[in-house]
């Protein structure tokens, strides 16, 4: 019923969840909205959402029992990591590179775990890659929706979801070509992290769709008053 | 476990998904928020959400494996349709009637598929209609939540969800009365589309709830300063 | 597959759903956003979301068929309660204490039902408590996300989720200690409601996380211009 146990050892899963929890806490501690500040519980929730959200979405899409709810350790790890991340936020935020690097590795881990689990459960290649990408970026989407922020991956940015997409596709391709599961996962994690980091360093992004319409971009962005959606 | 295969042929499902994807792309290409523009990936995501979101929500509610993830074709169709919709957005937008008509048919299709699947899986009539309505409007709700927009069906509008509700109820009624599944579905699709189109043409909407309280609407909307939620 | 039938009688479940529906209608009738008013359908949707959302989230997390979709009564109760709540909103709103009290009991009921169901299905203690808290606060989170409001429990407030957390933990502890299910549930509901009410009466809240960073709160909130997220 749940093929993950065969493939992803608990400690690897918990490392991903813990890194996600730290990520969430760093995000939360950097957040200052209009009079909407987070309390301790809010930070813990963001940590849980970032650490466990991707896995929950993966298991909902796969219609299997949520792996992260089958053991006490996931919630304890995510919450503990969020609290540690919060206490050390001052330190981490001086190390911006550390956050970006951590984030890139987390996307890679969740993407690889998601795609592997989907393939193990017998999904075709395209939806397996889709499940992997949803695992990788789902925590961030949930976080933004709960926080009432624009969902980051929807807007012109730094190839965030694309990095996950390429990594998951590489994993699926490598497995189809007969590569062992562990090697395929490691390659996928490295590919995702490298693309994400290169995108940040060189500030690369996808072309905006409207450029394809040959709209008068310059006019639109300067002369026409901004209309709220 | 998944009763849909017995009833809804793949090609019919893919047509609904494709129309949803085109719809999503047209929506996305018309979207201009404050400095929040969609890139190519964003358009593809909106296409996937509109094309597959209703079916995913339906299968989550029914606790069956997501039909749209059991074949490569769904994601390829939704993404392909979104890209085509984006390239032809200039054309389509001059044909506003085409968009409204397309949308009305899509609501009808998703509503009919959702109700039929729920009834086939043995749900009672009321929840089966509920699942149909969620299938019909779920993609749009997900889209608005991901885009950070007010959820359209929540606010005074043109009988959008009501059209789906009536169509799904007609389908459930017709099946209870012994009508064959295909005929019941076709009637439901036509009923939904016609109600939706009539509502748009004649600008009909539900009474606002506050009118029932006999509040002084005129005073409220003119004199009292608007307070942000 | 669905252990709930053994434990929670339908009438108890329907009372919780009905109270949730009334709650939703009172919320909806008090809502006035910028030109975004709710119509009759919107009020019914909010009633359904508040009455059934927590149970749906619980069953999704537990990967069991949604209990609220296995009988016609849930949707009829939630919708009926929402309409009654709407008609009597003027009355209820003069009784603010009634709303707060009602809300406290509803949180307790949903939390107790969620934790009990999770434990019955064999989940470990920590995730069982988590499922209970999600059942208790999930309807409100869904409501805020659909309404486009900041999610209430994320921000400095009155120990809303904490009340649910303590109640669910007490329930899990009492059951582990051998207390009968019904007694444990009643204690948990009382504990949750009392904490919530005390928090409202004495205006208690959790410390903000940023106080832990020893940031210059006074300076931040007064001198630095507010930046939109």
């Amino acid at each position: 019923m749940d093929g993950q146990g065969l493939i992803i050892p608990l400690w690897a899963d918990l490392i991903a969840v813990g890194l996600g929890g730290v990520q969430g806490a760093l995000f939360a501690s950097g957040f200052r909205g209009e009079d909407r500040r987070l309390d301790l519980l809010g930070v813990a929730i963001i940590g849980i959402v970032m650490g466990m959200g991707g896995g929950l979405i993966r298991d909902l899409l796969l219609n299997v029992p949520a792996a992260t709810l089958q053991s006490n350790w996931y919630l304890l790890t995510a919450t503990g990591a969020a609290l540690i991340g919060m206490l050390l936020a001052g330190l981490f935020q001086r190390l911006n590179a550390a956050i970006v690097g951590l984030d890139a590795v987390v996307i890679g881990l969740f993407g690889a775990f998601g795609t592997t689990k989907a393939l193990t459960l017998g999904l075709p290649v395209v939806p397996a890659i889709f499940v992997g990408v949803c695992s990788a970026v789902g925590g961030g989407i949930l976080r933004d929706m709960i926080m009432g922020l624009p969902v980051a991956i929807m807007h012109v940015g730094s190839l965030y979801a694309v990095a996950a997409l390429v990594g998951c596709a590489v994993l699926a391709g490598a497995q189809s070509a007969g590569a062992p599961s562990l090697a395929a996962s490691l390659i996928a994690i490295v590919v995702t992290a490298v693309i994400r980091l290169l995108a940040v360093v060189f500030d690369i992004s996808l072309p905006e769709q409207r450029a394809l319409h040959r709209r008068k971009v310059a006019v639109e962005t300067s002369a026409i008053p901004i209309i709220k959606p």
Side-chain angles (χ1 to χ4, degrees), chain A:
Chain A
M1 195 163 181
D2 181 354
Q4 186 180 37
L6 303 173
I7 303 161
I8 304 165
L10 182 62
W11 60 264
D13 223 7
L14 289 179
I15 287 176
V17 168
L19 292 176
V22 170
Q23 267 292 104
L26 296 180
F27 178 89
S29 66
F31 180 76
R32 298 281 175 280
E34 310 165 25
D35 197 30
R36 298 188 290 144
R37 294 163 301 191
L38 294 171
D39 58 15
L40 276 175
L41 179 74
V43 174
I45 292 175
I46 295 294
I48 290 171
V49 164
M50 290 290 284
M52 294 174 45
L56 282 174
I57 288 175
R58 175 198 65 201
D59 293 340
L60 283 175
L61 291 174
L62 295 174
N63 197 34
V64 296
T68 51
L69 300 181
Q70 306 306 315
S71 147
N72 290 330
W73 287 108
Y74 288 93
L75 278 156
L76 297 176
T77 302
T79 311
L83 296 179
I84 291 169
M86 195 178 73
L87 290 171
L88 301 181
L91 176 66
F92 274 106
Q93 270 156 6
R94 260 166 272 138
L95 302 166
N96 186 47
I99 301 183
V100 173
L102 188 62
D103 190 38
V105 173
V106 171
I107 305 168
L109 282 170
F110 281 120
F113 290 0
T115 307
T116 303
K117 186 165 183 176
L119 288 172
T120 306
L121 287 163
L123 260 65
V125 157
V126 175
I129 295 171
F130 177 73
V131 170
V133 174
C134 288
S135 305
V137 303
I141 292 178
L142 271 187
R143 178 200 66 198
D144 290 339
M145 287 169 75
I146 287 178
M147 300 285 284
L149 301 176
V151 173
I153 66 154
M154 292 307 298
H155 301 289
V156 177
S158 299
L159 291 182
Y160 195 89
V162 171
L165 180 63
V166 175
C168 294
V170 165
L171 195 162
Q175 284 216 343
S176 302
S181 182
L182 183 62
S185 293
L186 287 178
I187 294 169
I189 294 167
V190 171
V191 166
T192 297
V194 167
I195 293 178
R196 170 68 183 148
L197 292 177
L198 288 177
V200 172
V201 172
F202 295 106
D203 200 17
I204 306 163
S205 62
L206 283 182
E208 292 171 44
Q209 52 98 5
R210 69 167 153 180
L212 295 184
H213 301 165
R214 308 194 183 192
R215 286 170 179 262
K216 292 159 215 157
V217 175
V219 174
E220 264 197 7
T221 49
S222 61
I224 294 177
I226 287 161
I227 294 148
K228 282 202 173 184

